PDB file of all heavy atoms in Angstrom:
ATOM      1  N   ASN V 455      76.889  -5.902   2.213  1.00 87.00           N
ATOM      2  CA  ASN V 455      76.022  -7.158   1.716  1.00 87.00           C
ATOM      3  C   ASN V 455      76.724  -8.442   2.286  1.00 87.00           C
ATOM      4  O   ASN V 455      77.577  -8.983   1.720  1.00 87.00           O
ATOM      5  CB  ASN V 455      76.052  -7.265   0.214  1.00 87.00           C
ATOM      6  CG  ASN V 455      74.961  -8.141  -0.257  1.00 87.00           C
ATOM      7  OD1 ASN V 455      74.657  -9.256   0.430  1.00 87.00           O
ATOM      8  ND2 ASN V 455      74.279  -7.847  -1.286  1.00 87.00           N
ATOM      9  N   CYS V 456      76.313  -8.694   3.551  1.00 87.00           N
ATOM     10  CA  CYS V 456      76.955  -9.927   4.265  1.00 87.00           C
ATOM     11  C   CYS V 456      76.695 -11.233   3.427  1.00 87.00           C
ATOM     12  O   CYS V 456      77.646 -11.973   3.194  1.00 87.00           O
ATOM     13  CB  CYS V 456      76.324 -10.058   5.610  1.00 87.00           C
ATOM     14  SG  CYS V 456      76.951 -11.480   6.557  1.00 87.00           S
ATOM     15  N   THR V 457      75.488 -11.425   2.909  1.00 88.00           N
ATOM     16  CA  THR V 457      75.215 -12.691   2.234  1.00 88.00           C
ATOM     17  C   THR V 457      76.053 -12.780   0.950  1.00 88.00           C
ATOM     18  O   THR V 457      76.604 -13.807   0.689  1.00 88.00           O
ATOM     19  CB  THR V 457      73.754 -12.729   1.811  1.00 88.00           C
ATOM     20  OG1 THR V 457      72.918 -12.642   2.969  1.00 88.00           O
ATOM     21  CG2 THR V 457      73.392 -13.998   1.086  1.00 88.00           C
ATOM     22  N   PHE V 458      76.202 -11.752   0.258  1.00 91.00           N
ATOM     23  CA  PHE V 458      76.985 -11.806  -1.005  1.00 91.00           C
ATOM     24  C   PHE V 458      78.443 -12.005  -0.668  1.00 91.00           C
ATOM     25  O   PHE V 458      79.153 -12.784  -1.363  1.00 91.00           O
ATOM     26  CB  PHE V 458      76.851 -10.427  -1.664  1.00 91.00           C
ATOM     27  CG  PHE V 458      77.810 -10.328  -2.919  1.00 91.00           C
ATOM     28  CD1 PHE V 458      77.565 -11.018  -4.099  1.00 91.00           C
ATOM     29  CD2 PHE V 458      78.952  -9.489  -2.803  1.00 91.00           C
ATOM     30  CE1 PHE V 458      78.402 -10.874  -5.151  1.00 91.00           C
ATOM     31  CE2 PHE V 458      79.804  -9.391  -3.900  1.00 91.00           C
ATOM     32  CZ  PHE V 458      79.551 -10.101  -5.055  1.00 91.00           C
ATOM     33  N   THR V 459      78.933 -11.558   0.456  1.00 91.00           N
ATOM     34  CA  THR V 459      80.352 -11.728   0.851  1.00 91.00           C
ATOM     35  C   THR V 459      80.644 -13.202   1.132  1.00 91.00           C
ATOM     36  O   THR V 459      81.529 -13.854   0.640  1.00 91.00           O
ATOM     37  CB  THR V 459      80.641 -11.015   2.103  1.00 91.00           C
ATOM     38  OG1 THR V 459      80.417  -9.527   1.915  1.00 91.00           O
ATOM     39  CG2 THR V 459      82.116 -11.108   2.530  1.00 91.00           C
ATOM     40  N   PHE V 460      79.774 -13.867   1.939  1.00 91.00           N
ATOM     41  CA  PHE V 460      80.001 -15.240   2.172  1.00 91.00           C
ATOM     42  C   PHE V 460      79.772 -16.100   0.897  1.00 91.00           C
ATOM     43  O   PHE V 460      80.553 -17.109   0.724  1.00 91.00           O
ATOM     44  CB  PHE V 460      79.055 -15.714   3.236  1.00 91.00           C
ATOM     45  CG  PHE V 460      79.471 -15.478   4.708  1.00 91.00           C
ATOM     46  CD1 PHE V 460      78.928 -14.423   5.357  1.00 91.00           C
ATOM     47  CD2 PHE V 460      80.462 -16.239   5.291  1.00 91.00           C
ATOM     48  CE1 PHE V 460      79.388 -14.143   6.606  1.00 91.00           C
ATOM     49  CE2 PHE V 460      80.960 -15.956   6.461  1.00 91.00           C
ATOM     50  CZ  PHE V 460      80.379 -14.882   7.205  1.00 91.00           C
ATOM     51  N   LEU V 461      78.787 -15.868   0.145  1.00 93.00           N
ATOM     52  CA  LEU V 461      78.650 -16.631  -1.149  1.00 93.00           C
ATOM     53  C   LEU V 461      79.871 -16.402  -2.034  1.00 93.00           C
ATOM     54  O   LEU V 461      80.285 -17.317  -2.786  1.00 93.00           O
ATOM     55  CB  LEU V 461      77.344 -16.168  -1.823  1.00 93.00           C
ATOM     56  CG  LEU V 461      76.079 -16.518  -1.116  1.00 93.00           C
ATOM     57  CD1 LEU V 461      74.812 -16.049  -1.907  1.00 93.00           C
ATOM     58  CD2 LEU V 461      75.943 -18.034  -1.023  1.00 93.00           C
ATOM     59  N   LEU V 462      80.359 -15.169  -2.102  1.00 94.00           N
ATOM     60  CA  LEU V 462      81.488 -14.924  -2.958  1.00 94.00           C
ATOM     61  C   LEU V 462      82.727 -15.760  -2.548  1.00 94.00           C
ATOM     62  O   LEU V 462      83.390 -16.467  -3.391  1.00 94.00           O
ATOM     63  CB  LEU V 462      81.843 -13.463  -2.966  1.00 94.00           C
ATOM     64  CG  LEU V 462      83.066 -13.021  -3.888  1.00 94.00           C
ATOM     65  CD1 LEU V 462      82.836 -13.253  -5.268  1.00 94.00           C
ATOM     66  CD2 LEU V 462      83.351 -11.423  -3.544  1.00 94.00           C
ATOM     67  N   PHE V 463      82.963 -15.772  -1.265  1.00 94.00           N
ATOM     68  CA  PHE V 463      84.237 -16.426  -0.756  1.00 94.00           C
ATOM     69  C   PHE V 463      83.952 -18.070  -0.858  1.00 94.00           C
ATOM     70  O   PHE V 463      84.767 -18.778  -1.068  1.00 94.00           O
ATOM     71  CB  PHE V 463      84.396 -16.105   0.698  1.00 94.00           C
ATOM     72  CG  PHE V 463      85.260 -14.840   0.890  1.00 94.00           C
ATOM     73  CD1 PHE V 463      84.700 -13.546   0.404  1.00 94.00           C
ATOM     74  CD2 PHE V 463      86.480 -14.869   1.325  1.00 94.00           C
ATOM     75  CE1 PHE V 463      85.324 -12.462   0.619  1.00 94.00           C
ATOM     76  CE2 PHE V 463      87.235 -13.639   1.394  1.00 94.00           C
ATOM     77  CZ  PHE V 463      86.671 -12.420   1.039  1.00 94.00           C
ATOM     78  N   ALA V 464      82.752 -18.561  -0.731  1.00 94.00           N
ATOM     79  CA  ALA V 464      82.425 -19.939  -0.793  1.00 94.00           C
ATOM     80  C   ALA V 464      82.573 -20.291  -2.298  1.00 94.00           C
ATOM     81  O   ALA V 464      83.069 -21.419  -2.573  1.00 94.00           O
ATOM     82  CB  ALA V 464      80.987 -20.226  -0.356  1.00 94.00           C
ATOM     83  N   SER V 465      82.236 -19.523  -3.177  1.00 95.00           N
ATOM     84  CA  SER V 465      82.306 -19.734  -4.614  1.00 95.00           C
ATOM     85  C   SER V 465      83.846 -19.816  -4.913  1.00 95.00           C
ATOM     86  O   SER V 465      84.183 -20.709  -5.774  1.00 95.00           O
ATOM     87  CB  SER V 465      81.584 -18.601  -5.521  1.00 95.00           C
ATOM     88  OG  SER V 465      80.235 -18.565  -5.152  1.00 95.00           O
ATOM     89  N   CYS V 466      84.593 -19.079  -4.339  1.00 95.00           N
ATOM     90  CA  CYS V 466      86.080 -19.036  -4.530  1.00 95.00           C
ATOM     91  C   CYS V 466      86.626 -20.484  -4.179  1.00 95.00           C
ATOM     92  O   CYS V 466      87.439 -21.000  -4.943  1.00 95.00           O
ATOM     93  CB  CYS V 466      86.664 -18.051  -3.760  1.00 95.00           C
ATOM     94  SG  CYS V 466      88.542 -17.807  -4.032  1.00 95.00           S
ATOM     95  N   SER V 467      86.110 -21.035  -3.133  1.00 95.00           N
ATOM     96  CA  SER V 467      86.631 -22.437  -2.703  1.00 95.00           C
ATOM     97  C   SER V 467      86.096 -23.446  -3.697  1.00 95.00           C
ATOM     98  O   SER V 467      86.927 -24.359  -4.150  1.00 95.00           O
ATOM     99  CB  SER V 467      86.004 -22.833  -1.304  1.00 95.00           C
ATOM    100  OG  SER V 467      86.690 -22.134  -0.324  1.00 95.00           O
ATOM    101  N   ILE V 468      84.895 -23.365  -4.228  1.00 95.00           N
ATOM    102  CA  ILE V 468      84.466 -24.327  -5.249  1.00 95.00           C
ATOM    103  C   ILE V 468      85.244 -24.165  -6.501  1.00 95.00           C
ATOM    104  O   ILE V 468      85.551 -25.128  -7.278  1.00 95.00           O
ATOM    105  CB  ILE V 468      82.979 -24.116  -5.342  1.00 95.00           C
ATOM    106  CG1 ILE V 468      82.245 -24.497  -4.123  1.00 95.00           C
ATOM    107  CG2 ILE V 468      82.358 -24.947  -6.641  1.00 95.00           C
ATOM    108  CD1 ILE V 468      80.736 -24.210  -4.139  1.00 95.00           C
ATOM    109  N   ILE V 469      85.475 -22.943  -6.970  1.00 95.00           N
ATOM    110  CA  ILE V 469      86.332 -22.756  -8.246  1.00 95.00           C
ATOM    111  C   ILE V 469      87.588 -23.350  -8.097  1.00 95.00           C
ATOM    112  O   ILE V 469      88.158 -23.972  -8.994  1.00 95.00           O
ATOM    113  CB  ILE V 469      86.286 -21.145  -8.549  1.00 95.00           C
ATOM    114  CG1 ILE V 469      84.941 -20.691  -8.954  1.00 95.00           C
ATOM    115  CG2 ILE V 469      87.270 -20.899  -9.640  1.00 95.00           C
ATOM    116  CD1 ILE V 469      84.812 -19.218  -9.125  1.00 95.00           C
ATOM    117  N   CYS V 470      88.242 -23.075  -6.930  1.00 94.00           N
ATOM    118  CA  CYS V 470      89.528 -23.664  -6.697  1.00 94.00           C
ATOM    119  C   CYS V 470      89.488 -25.281  -6.705  1.00 94.00           C
ATOM    120  O   CYS V 470      90.427 -25.786  -7.238  1.00 94.00           O
ATOM    121  CB  CYS V 470      90.100 -23.234  -5.398  1.00 94.00           C
ATOM    122  SG  CYS V 470      90.536 -21.543  -5.401  1.00 94.00           S
ATOM    123  N   ALA V 471      88.451 -25.798  -6.283  1.00 94.00           N
ATOM    124  CA  ALA V 471      88.264 -27.225  -6.285  1.00 94.00           C
ATOM    125  C   ALA V 471      88.215 -27.751  -7.682  1.00 94.00           C
ATOM    126  O   ALA V 471      88.920 -28.758  -7.954  1.00 94.00           O
ATOM    127  CB  ALA V 471      87.014 -27.659  -5.508  1.00 94.00           C
ATOM    128  N   VAL V 472      87.614 -27.092  -8.568  1.00 95.00           N
ATOM    129  CA  VAL V 472      87.539 -27.447 -10.007  1.00 95.00           C
ATOM    130  C   VAL V 472      88.896 -27.367 -10.605  1.00 95.00           C
ATOM    131  O   VAL V 472      89.314 -28.147 -11.383  1.00 95.00           O
ATOM    132  CB  VAL V 472      86.433 -26.560 -10.746  1.00 95.00           C
ATOM    133  CG1 VAL V 472      86.455 -26.868 -12.171  1.00 95.00           C
ATOM    134  CG2 VAL V 472      85.064 -26.831 -10.155  1.00 95.00           C
ATOM    135  N   LEU V 473      89.618 -26.237 -10.370  1.00 94.00           N
ATOM    136  CA  LEU V 473      90.873 -26.030 -11.026  1.00 94.00           C
ATOM    137  C   LEU V 473      91.875 -27.044 -10.637  1.00 94.00           C
ATOM    138  O   LEU V 473      92.729 -27.473 -11.451  1.00 94.00           O
ATOM    139  CB  LEU V 473      91.411 -24.629 -10.525  1.00 94.00           C
ATOM    140  CG  LEU V 473      90.729 -23.386 -11.188  1.00 94.00           C
ATOM    141  CD1 LEU V 473      91.398 -22.052 -10.531  1.00 94.00           C
ATOM    142  CD2 LEU V 473      90.819 -23.399 -12.660  1.00 94.00           C
ATOM    143  N   THR V 474      91.941 -27.564  -9.324  1.00 93.00           N
ATOM    144  CA  THR V 474      92.789 -28.597  -8.966  1.00 93.00           C
ATOM    145  C   THR V 474      92.548 -29.853  -9.770  1.00 93.00           C
ATOM    146  O   THR V 474      93.617 -30.592  -9.771  1.00 93.00           O
ATOM    147  CB  THR V 474      92.640 -28.888  -7.469  1.00 93.00           C
ATOM    148  OG1 THR V 474      91.298 -29.234  -7.122  1.00 93.00           O
ATOM    149  CG2 THR V 474      93.066 -27.666  -6.600  1.00 93.00           C
ATOM    150  N   LEU V 475      91.459 -30.083 -10.187  1.00 92.00           N
ATOM    151  CA  LEU V 475      91.267 -31.345 -11.073  1.00 92.00           C
ATOM    152  C   LEU V 475      92.052 -31.319 -12.475  1.00 92.00           C
ATOM    153  O   LEU V 475      92.239 -32.351 -12.961  1.00 92.00           O
ATOM    154  CB  LEU V 475      89.697 -31.486 -11.376  1.00 92.00           C
ATOM    155  CG  LEU V 475      88.844 -31.588 -10.150  1.00 92.00           C
ATOM    156  CD1 LEU V 475      87.432 -31.753 -10.594  1.00 92.00           C
ATOM    157  CD2 LEU V 475      89.186 -32.913  -9.346  1.00 92.00           C
ATOM    158  N   PHE V 476      92.448 -30.150 -12.750  1.00 92.00           N
ATOM    159  CA  PHE V 476      93.285 -30.012 -14.063  1.00 92.00           C
ATOM    160  C   PHE V 476      94.759 -30.194 -13.730  1.00 92.00           C
ATOM    161  O   PHE V 476      95.584 -30.278 -14.760  1.00 92.00           O
ATOM    162  CB  PHE V 476      93.062 -28.684 -14.640  1.00 92.00           C
ATOM    163  CG  PHE V 476      91.729 -28.501 -15.215  1.00 92.00           C
ATOM    164  CD1 PHE V 476      90.686 -27.927 -14.487  1.00 92.00           C
ATOM    165  CD2 PHE V 476      91.367 -29.070 -16.536  1.00 92.00           C
ATOM    166  CE1 PHE V 476      89.416 -27.690 -14.930  1.00 92.00           C
ATOM    167  CE2 PHE V 476      90.008 -28.861 -16.946  1.00 92.00           C
ATOM    168  CZ  PHE V 476      89.066 -28.171 -16.220  1.00 92.00           C
TER     169      PHE V 476
END
Side-chain angles (χ1 to χ4, degrees):
N455 198 324
C456 174
T457 300
F458 173 75
T459 303
F460 277 101
L461 292 178
L462 179 64
F463 278 68
S465 299
C466 185
S467 289
I468 295 175
I469 292 173
C470 289
V472 174
L473 288 176
T474 57
L475 297 177
F476 292 94

